[in-house]
Amino acid sequence: MATFLSHETCPTIKNILLLDSEGKRVAVKYYSDEWPTNSAKLAFEKSIFSKTQKTNARTEAEITMVENNIIVYKFIQDLHFFVTGGDEENELILATVLQGFFDAVTLLLRNNVDQREALENLDMILLCLDEIVDGGIILETDSSIIAGKVATHSIDDGAPLSEQTISQALATAREHLTRSLLK
Amino acid sequence: MAQPLVKKDDDRDEEADYSPFLGIEKGAVLQDARVFNDPQLDARRCSQVITKLLYLLNQGDSFTKVEATEVFFAVTKLFQSKDNGLRRMVYLIIKDLSPSADEVIIVTSSLMKDMNSRTDMYRANAIRVLCRITDGTLLTQIERYLKQAIVDKNPVVASAALVSGIHLLQTTPEIVKRWSNEVQEAVQSRAALVQFHALALLHQIRQNDRLAVSKLVTSLTKGTVRSPLAQCLLIRYTSQVIRETGVNSQTGDRPFYDYLESCLRHKAEMVIFEAAKAITELSNVTTRELTPAITVLQLLLSSSKPVLRFAAVRTLNKVAMTHPMAVTNCNIDMESLISDQNRSIATLAITTLLKTGNESSVDRLMKQITNFMSDIADEFKIVVVEAIRSLCLKFPLKYRSLMNFLSNILREEGGFEYKKAIVDSIVILIRDIPDAKESGLLHLCEFIEDCEFTYLSTQILHFLGNEGPKTSDPSKYIRYIYNRVILENATVRASAVSTLAKFGALVDSLKPRIFILLRRCLFDNDDEVRDRATLYLNSLGDGSVAETDKDVKEFLFGSLDIPLTNMETTLRNYAQNPTEEPFDIDSVPREVKSLPLVEKKAPGKKPTPLGPPPPAPTSASDAYERILSTIPEFANFGKLFKSSVPVELTEAETEYAVNVVKHIFDHHVVFQYNCTNTIPEQLLENVTVIVDASEAEEFSEVGVKPLKSLPYDTPAQTFVAFERPEGVPSVGKFSNTLRFTVKEVDTSTGEAEDDGVEDEYQLEDFEVVAADYILKVGVSNFRNAWESMDPDTERVDEYGLGPRESLVEAVNAVISLLGLQPCEGTETVPNNSRSHTCLLSGVYIGNVKVLVRLSFGMDSSKEVAMKLAVRSDDVNVSEALHEIVASG
């Protein structure tokens, strides 16, 4: 794991978490060494999960503060998405990252966003995280570009996706990618 | 790859219905990793195994060094496969395994090949992986490629190189700094994120060069920065430049302010907010500068997105601390946020309104709050109650509606903490707003009629006893109080009896009737209730309408200025040694013992520990007094004022361990040297301490009590007494030498030789300081105690304490310098606070009571300033305390 960079001026993401409806990990990524051990990480996940559990973050992203960290989060089905930043961070930047992650996952899972789909396509989720943030620095926030980068690698005829949808998804993703190349 | 990641022939197929990773086991997955070595690579199979490995790592499983190395080597084989998807997974797992330097070499060539591949995605990822795992030496080899990549026409490749550059700058800045030409070119890129990454890297390369940063900002603020993220960065850099240049003194204009203001009209909300925030954080911002930012934030308050509302209200909350007037325009929008679904937003809205609200909006605010109180959790209700309390203190004229609000919510359902917060608030309002007293007391009376919390009932009864008799019509409270005697449990009944007695003592006309009620209590089935009734009946006189004795009043209302722990130990001793003499309350030592550390964590009502830890004697000062009184030479020194804690005069584990306790008397000082001989082969005789008091001029030696013999491992004491002038807190430094006759001991028989040798042993110096003349004595209600002291004795002055690490350090330093007892938990400084008030109390030699109010403040350069206000029974003592601080 990369060491956390403490540049005060560059927007920095402390972690991205994808938890299930019981607060268990689906995929997590820590970019800050503020939580050095796995138990510290689990405790942090537990505290933000229990704090946000009862809120309704299904239509719009919600926001709260836990231990001097800003947490933006959004839920869908049995999946809970979280993005964390320091308390001086621009809340809207964090929300943009969350939205990018959320929408990219929705694209990649073809709108069947739930825990089971996420675990069955964990490789895509992990690649998706890898394309959004690198060592705390935002790489990309546009969901279609993120999904496009992940999907280009999934040319796989054995996948249980219906042929049509995958080719559609790829088409959109490629189109976005090409557009971003030509900008 | 979206296939269930279990083996086809696996018998766990049904369970996998829930999770494809159900029952996954590290050992089995590591076995599976052998497929990486197959000559015919099955790309999909390999991807699945990598996913499983990543899953394990993600769940917090860790691989041993050997396991990680094996997996890593196996993974390197997968570079042979041409499968895109598999290659991506390989990149991921290499990053997660974070290989060691000697392992990195294995993949370097493969990754370098990928860096120069024709597939952009390979290039971008290979750059990120390589830069993540590489060290400086390798970096020089690939530097050329990275420089090229920065200006690559593919934005993904360029961003990968730039972000890697940002990371590498931390470890190998000298190399990355050589890329600034390429980075500068990338800043002009048409791709949004490349511009963002390039700007971040360029600023970091130049951040120590103020001129260069200023130039960068000047040129970019004129040009067009496309990416919103890059725009946010530029705003941050601009604020930094503004901070460093300051205001143009002639025109009063701030450079670059126009740029920040123009960003308020940007199309991206992210940028608008960043600019508004930057403006509010400008140092010494003027109202004119602030207005456009506030207007923008006000618009965000009514956004449909919680994140925007939160960001806006949080920023406005901060502005309200310094510029409450500027925020008042937003009050109406803010009021609608009180009922926001998101509690963080609602809390921020309330606290902001409190800072900015004016008197006329109070009623409306109360109505708003009333409407949503029932929907929220206790924890949040407490915040609201506390907010109401401070609002009421700010606008005392509005006490009626606020008090009504409090009494209404008091009647509703709620847990203990919540009710306690309400009761505390009412009590504070009654105390601070005289007009609110009668209605407040009646609210409390009604509350105890139906109160399930014994603690609150007794607190209220106690308070009622103190305040009720002073109201215009005390008799109306009697009914409520006597109802408690009939209906409640023993604890509440007992305190109701005490409350009745207080009414009897203060309101002479009520006395006969109180007597009737108290007599009825004599038949209560609880001992404590009967005892109290008996006590009060006997002390209040004969039940006729007559004024109560002053002593009785003192007994009923005076506070017990003795620490309860000390009282408890003294009473215990008294009960263990039955004597004919009655117990004398003056025999209880008044000095507060330092409590064990564990307890300090819970300030406030701490339960008094039942026996202190074994090494400390039941009461140190008791023990000292007993020892000293057995020494005839010191018998005429009078009463012991204070004994210090032992000061070690030797290092740990030396031949002889010596520490000293300083005993302060009115005219004398006695040093008690506690000596321990740690050498089994030696017996020390005629042990004395030679004290050189040449640096303590006001002291003159008057007596020495040598120690006859000091066998191995048996602590014993020798004393030296000094005379000192009365009244002045003489200070000085004492150097000490231990002198003794040493005799050899035969350890097998334990017998000492007859002949001894004279010897000396150098001890460390110690000082008698001002704090030695001050007793730590706490007061239970500092405010009352402070106000009851003559204001003419007050001496106030300000001191600069110089730069300090934190306020905590400054506060502790002053407390230990003065040697006073911190009151009401004010010795704990909240984290990161910039100002703090600390209350101290104690007794100065000559039994002069001293109260101290310390206000600390810290500025941005960590300079700490302190205001010291002292009140005491004697003006000279107030001045003496200032001298201590001035010279300390």
Side-chain angles (χ1 to χ4, degrees):
Chain A
M1 179 149 302
T3 47
F4 184 61
L5 310 161
S6 57
H7 8 88
E8 48 177 308
T9 44
C10 189
T12 321
I13 307 297
K14 285 195 183 177
N15 57 51
I16 302 183
L17 314 174
L18 179 57
L19 306 180
D20 70 10
S21 54
E22 286 159 22
K24 296 209 181 67
R25 276 180 194 172
V26 175
V28 297
K29 210 77 190 144
Y30 283 79
Y31 309 106
S32 150
D33 46 17
E34 227 168 284
W35 300 273
T37 61
N38 192 43
S39 53
K41 289 175 183 156
L42 288 173
F44 177 71
E45 287 158 32
K46 196 172 170 213
S47 83
I48 65 168
F49 181 79
S50 56
K51 179 145 189 187
T52 58
Q53 196 179 8
K54 293 204 182 86
T55 52
N56 179 10
R58 292 182 185 269
T59 44
E60 287 289 353
E62 279 288 344
I63 183 164
T64 190
M65 303 214 38
V66 174
E67 297 158 18
N68 282 330
N69 292 301
I70 299 173
I71 321 281
V72 288
Y73 56 99
K74 196 165 182 186
F75 304 158
I76 183 167
Q77 304 273 14
D78 51 1
L79 283 178
H80 295 202
F81 293 73
F82 300 91
V83 171
T84 308
D87 72 338
E88 282 303 312
E89 198 44 82
N90 182 332
E91 291 88 342
L92 275 53
I93 293 182
L94 298 179
T96 311
V97 173
L98 175 72
Q99 197 65 42
F101 179 39
F102 183 89
D103 291 346
V105 170
T106 313
L107 270 177
L108 288 166
L109 299 183
R110 292 153 293 122
N111 286 320
N112 295 324
V113 188
D114 62 27
Q115 185 199 356
R116 187 180 164 168
E117 278 292 312
L119 281 172
E120 283 181 352
N121 297 289
L122 189 69
D123 49 349
M124 290 216 237
I125 307 279
L126 292 172
L127 286 173
C128 188
L129 284 169
D130 186 57
E131 291 295 351
I132 294 173
V133 172
D134 183 294
I137 295 175
I138 302 167
L139 265 185
E140 180 56 80
T141 57
D142 184 322
S143 57
S144 48
I145 299 180
I146 298 167
K149 285 196 210 168
V150 175
T152 40
H153 301 287
S154 311
I155 309 166
D156 190 338
D157 48 9
L161 314 169
S162 91
E163 284 303 320
Q164 212 178 5
T165 30
I166 181 79
S167 46
Q168 270 172 354
L170 283 176
T172 1
R174 281 225 181 89
E175 189 188 331
H176 278 294
L177 188 65
T178 341
R179 228 190 297 155
S180 76
L181 297 182
L182 296 176
K183 255 183 207 170
Chain B
M1 259 172 303
Q3 207 177 38
L5 292 152
V6 278
K7 280 186 264 174
K8 287 189 182 84
D9 54 351
D10 205 313
D11 56 1
R12 292 194 301 254
D13 266 346
E14 275 112 30
E15 294 171 70
D17 196 32
Y18 173 61
S19 156
F21 299 105
L22 203 71
I24 190 171
E25 211 207 340
K26 187 170 82 172
V29 180
L30 290 173
Q31 287 283 319
D32 287 350
R34 290 187 182 162
V35 297
F36 300 162
N37 296 322
D38 279 357
Q40 293 296 313
L41 280 175
D42 175 348
R44 193 189 314 154
R45 184 76 204 289
C46 292
S47 289
Q48 286 169 4
V49 175
I50 293 182
T51 310
K52 282 189 191 174
L53 290 166
L54 288 170
Y55 175 81
L56 287 172
L57 286 170
N58 216 291
Q59 293 296 319
D61 255 315
S62 56
F63 293 164
T64 63
K65 181 76 192 127
V66 177
E67 286 166 349
T69 310
E70 261 173 35
V71 171
F72 177 76
F73 279 114
V75 163
T76 55
K77 305 254 170 54
L78 298 180
F79 276 101
Q80 293 165 14
S81 167
K82 297 267 180 286
D83 186 280
N84 282 346
L86 178 58
R87 185 66 57 88
R88 281 300 312 269
M89 297 312 282
V90 168
Y91 293 142
L92 271 192
I93 191 135
I94 291 177
K95 280 199 266 189
D96 270 15
L97 286 173
S98 34
S100 59
D102 46 341
E103 292 166 351
V104 170
I105 298 166
I106 315 286
V107 281
T108 310
S109 58
S110 306
L111 286 171
M112 278 169 72
K113 206 171 126 212
D114 282 359
M115 267 174 72
N116 296 300
S117 136
R118 268 177 307 166
T119 318
D120 288 336
M121 202 50 84
Y122 277 7
R123 286 163 61 206
N125 279 293
I127 289 172
R128 280 167 58 202
V129 176
L130 199 51
C131 291
R132 173 74 63 84
I133 60 176
T134 191
D135 58 4
T137 50
L138 188 66
L139 195 57
T140 43
Q141 291 179 44
I142 57 168
E143 193 187 347
R144 188 162 57 90
Y145 303 114
L146 289 175
K147 278 167 132 179
Q148 269 170 25
I150 288 173
V151 289
D152 196 283
K153 64 179 192 323
N154 183 320
V156 183
V157 175
S159 278
L162 288 163
V163 171
S164 299
I166 297 175
H167 293 309
L168 290 169
L169 193 63
Q170 312 296 317
T171 48
T172 45
E174 64 289 345
I175 296 179
V176 181
K177 279 181 180 162
R178 295 202 291 253
W179 308 345
S180 68
N181 283 339
E182 286 78 10
V183 178
Q184 191 136 27
E185 198 182 324
V187 171
Q188 305 304 327
S189 164
R190 298 178 60 81
L193 279 145
V194 175
Q195 196 173 41
F196 163 61
H197 294 133
L199 184 55
L201 180 54
L202 190 61
H203 177 261
Q204 275 181 43
I205 290 175
R206 299 191 176 164
Q207 63 183 347
N208 295 323
D209 182 351
R210 270 161 81 179
L211 195 67
V213 172
S214 177
K215 266 188 194 158
L216 178 71
V217 166
T218 314
S219 69
L220 287 177
T221 48
K222 280 176 198 150
T224 44
V225 174
R226 264 169 234 94
S227 140
L229 278 171
Q231 194 77 259
C232 287
L233 273 186
L234 188 54
I235 291 170
R236 293 183 190 188
Y237 302 155
T238 308
S239 324
Q240 197 184 343
V241 172
I242 293 177
R243 247 198 322 276
E244 279 158 9
T245 43
V247 181
N248 184 326
S249 51
Q250 267 143 31
T251 59
D253 277 350
R254 216 186 275 269
F256 300 116
Y257 172 81
D258 290 344
Y259 165 72
L260 291 182
E261 207 207 329
S262 71
C263 288
L264 294 174
R265 294 183 291 274
H266 197 273
K267 61 180 187 303
E269 280 163 340
M270 184 197 287
V271 177
I272 298 176
F273 175 68
E274 186 75 46
K277 193 170 152 194
I279 292 178
T280 62
E281 284 168 3
L282 292 175
S283 55
N284 302 320
V285 64
T286 63
T287 317
R288 190 169 57 91
E289 288 168 326
L290 212 47
T291 311
I294 302 283
T295 313
V296 162
L297 291 171
Q298 187 176 3
L299 284 174
L300 297 184
L301 284 180
S302 44
S303 159
S304 64
K305 293 183 187 153
V307 175
L308 280 171
R309 296 198 299 273
F310 177 89
V313 75
R314 198 160 83 103
T315 311
L316 288 170
N317 186 299
K318 279 188 200 143
V319 179
M321 291 183 195
T322 46
H323 297 82
M325 291 317 289
V327 186
T328 40
N329 284 342
C330 309
N331 279 5
I332 294 180
D333 305 83
M334 204 84 81
E335 276 170 31
S336 57
L337 291 185
I338 295 177
S339 48
D340 201 294
Q341 288 279 323
N342 184 318
R343 286 177 206 157
S344 311
I345 296 177
T347 317
L348 285 166
I350 293 221
T351 42
T352 316
L353 280 168
L354 279 166
K355 287 169 198 138
T356 61
N358 52 31
E359 201 148 353
S360 58
S361 63
V362 168
D363 291 318
R364 199 173 60 235
L365 198 61
M366 297 320 297
K367 215 173 141 199
Q368 291 266 4
I369 298 176
T370 315
N371 288 340
F372 85 103
M373 275 308 266
S374 52
D375 309 336
I376 54 175
D378 272 12
E379 158 202 42
F380 185 49
K381 284 179 183 165
I382 294 172
V383 178
V384 175
V385 168
E386 278 163 4
I388 304 271
R389 180 201 306 172
S390 31
L391 185 67
C392 194
L393 293 175
K394 194 168 151 202
F395 302 121
L397 287 176
K398 286 287 168 196
Y399 77 88
R400 213 172 300 251
S401 58
L402 294 167
M403 189 64 99
N404 271 335
F405 174 81
L406 289 176
S407 69
N408 283 336
I409 55 172
L410 194 55
R411 270 184 233 120
E412 278 157 24
E413 288 293 298
F416 172 72
E417 289 297 331
Y418 173 45
K419 294 278 160 144
K420 184 170 174 294
I422 304 173
V423 170
D424 286 350
S425 301
I426 295 184
V427 167
I428 288 172
L429 297 187
I430 291 174
R431 214 180 54 201
D432 290 359
I433 306 171
D435 290 341
K437 188 192 247 178
E438 305 241 342
S439 62
L441 286 178
L442 276 175
H443 289 316
L444 292 178
C445 282
E446 271 164 33
F447 174 61
I448 53 170
E449 292 270 61
D450 184 24
C451 170
E452 55 187 311
F453 306 109
T454 302
Y455 174 81
L456 289 180
S457 292
T458 52
Q459 294 286 306
I460 292 174
L461 283 167
H462 174 80
F463 183 70
L464 209 54
N466 290 340
E467 299 295 333
K470 297 178 210 156
T471 54
S472 57
D473 181 14
S475 64
K476 67 182 172 196
Y477 303 106
I478 302 293
R479 179 172 64 87
Y480 295 104
I481 302 166
Y482 190 66
N483 279 346
R484 300 303 101 220
V485 180
I486 304 168
L487 298 167
E488 292 281 359
N489 63 41
T491 316
V492 179
R493 289 203 304 275
S495 52
V497 166
S498 300
T499 309
L500 283 176
K502 286 180 179 172
F503 274 80
L506 284 185
V507 189
D508 298 332
S509 59
L510 282 178
K511 205 182 257 184
R513 284 190 270 162
I514 296 278
F515 261 71
I516 298 171
L517 296 177
L518 284 179
R519 282 203 193 98
R520 287 191 199 158
C521 301
L522 290 175
F523 305 102
D524 196 282
N525 56 15
D526 183 79
D527 290 353
E528 174 73 20
V529 179
R530 284 198 309 274
D531 286 355
R532 285 200 190 190
T534 315
L535 171 69
Y536 295 131
L537 280 171
N538 284 320
S539 51
L540 285 177
D542 54 2
S544 59
V545 182
E547 198 172 325
T548 313
D549 209 35
K550 190 168 169 288
D551 285 348
V552 176
K553 282 190 187 166
E554 175 67 20
F555 168 67
L556 276 172
F557 294 99
S559 68
L560 188 66
D561 55 352
I562 298 167
L564 287 178
T565 30
N566 299 5
M567 177 89 169
E568 189 185 341
T569 33
T570 321
L571 278 171
R572 238 171 236 274
N573 290 343
Y574 179 78
Q576 274 165 9
N577 313 306
T579 64
E580 291 294 301
E581 285 173 46
F583 178 75
D584 181 8
I585 200 152
D586 291 334
S587 65
V588 181
R590 294 186 168 220
E591 179 153 19
V592 179
K593 264 178 292 179
S594 52
L595 294 161
L597 258 177
V598 214
E599 284 214 321
K600 288 201 172 146
K601 285 182 185 154
K605 308 165 296 298
K606 30 192 145 188
T608 44
L610 285 172
T618 38
S619 162
S621 56
D622 263 7
Y624 289 142
E625 195 147 19
R626 221 173 300 132
I627 296 172
L628 291 170
S629 61
T630 58
I631 304 167
E633 290 92 326
F634 307 149
N636 59 349
F637 288 178
K639 192 167 159 39
L640 175 63
F641 176 73
K642 181 183 179 176
S643 301
S644 74
V645 291
V647 182
E648 295 297 333
L649 299 182
T650 50
E651 309 259 319
E653 290 167 39
T654 46
E655 298 97 309
Y656 314 113
V658 181
N659 64 42
V660 67
V661 177
K662 300 170 269 183
H663 300 293
I664 310 287
F665 291 87
D666 281 349
H667 305 265
H668 298 88
V669 181
V670 174
F671 300 134
Q672 171 185 339
Y673 296 89
N674 300 311
C675 313
T676 312
N677 172 7
T678 62
I679 307 173
E681 295 84 12
Q682 285 189 356
L683 169 72
L684 306 188
E685 288 188 345
N686 287 324
V687 184
T688 52
V689 176
I690 309 300
V691 183
D692 174 7
S694 55
E695 286 180 72
E697 288 163 3
E698 288 173 277
F699 295 85
S700 53
E701 193 171 317
V702 290
V704 177
K705 176 143 174 58
L707 176 60
K708 284 228 171 59
S709 118
L710 183 64
Y712 163 66
D713 206 21
T714 317
Q717 299 88 26
T718 168
F719 299 87
V720 182
F722 283 86
E723 196 171 30
R724 59 171 193 85
E726 193 186 352
V728 268
S730 320
V731 295
K733 192 170 174 187
F734 299 83
S735 11
N736 313 280
T737 315
L738 193 67
R739 180 175 293 172
F740 46 81
T741 312
V742 57
K743 289 185 174 175
E744 293 286 316
V745 175
D746 183 344
T747 42
S748 55
T749 61
E751 291 199 7
E753 284 176 25
D754 288 342
D755 297 331
V757 190
E758 291 252 328
D759 201 358
E760 284 188 356
Y761 187 80
Q762 189 63 43
L763 302 176
E764 288 180 25
D765 302 346
F766 69 90
E767 286 177 82
V768 168
V769 293
D772 288 329
Y773 298 98
I774 297 170
L775 271 186
K776 287 187 172 188
V777 179
V779 290
S780 52
N781 186 331
F782 188 88
R783 198 188 143 101
N784 280 358
W786 178 265
E787 276 164 10
S788 64
M789 285 245 192
D790 184 4
D792 292 342
T793 65
E794 184 169 324
R795 291 289 177 272
V796 187
D797 209 346
E798 285 177 17
Y799 301 89
L801 302 183
R804 297 275 174 162
E805 264 308 297
S806 67
L807 268 189
V808 187
E809 187 209 327
V811 171
N812 288 340
V814 178
I815 292 176
S816 63
L817 177 66
L818 290 172
L820 289 163
Q821 174 70 28
C823 299
E824 299 175 11
T826 51
E827 73 272 31
T828 31
V829 185
N831 273 348
N832 300 327
S833 57
R834 315 238 69 160
S835 65
H836 183 71
T837 300
C838 183
L839 309 171
L840 304 174
S841 79
V843 170
Y844 193 75
I845 190 158
N847 264 334
V848 186
K849 214 169 166 192
V850 188
L851 294 174
V852 169
R853 214 173 220 175
L854 291 167
S855 311
F856 293 86
M858 186 182 228
D859 68 8
S860 50
S861 56
K862 303 229 162 194
E863 287 278 340
V864 175
M866 174 182 80
K867 187 174 146 194
L868 170 70
V870 190
R871 285 188 185 186
S872 75
D873 293 340
D874 182 349
V875 183
N876 295 326
V877 172
S878 302
E879 277 160 8
L881 269 130
H882 275 284
E883 254 166 55
I884 295 176
V885 174
S887 58

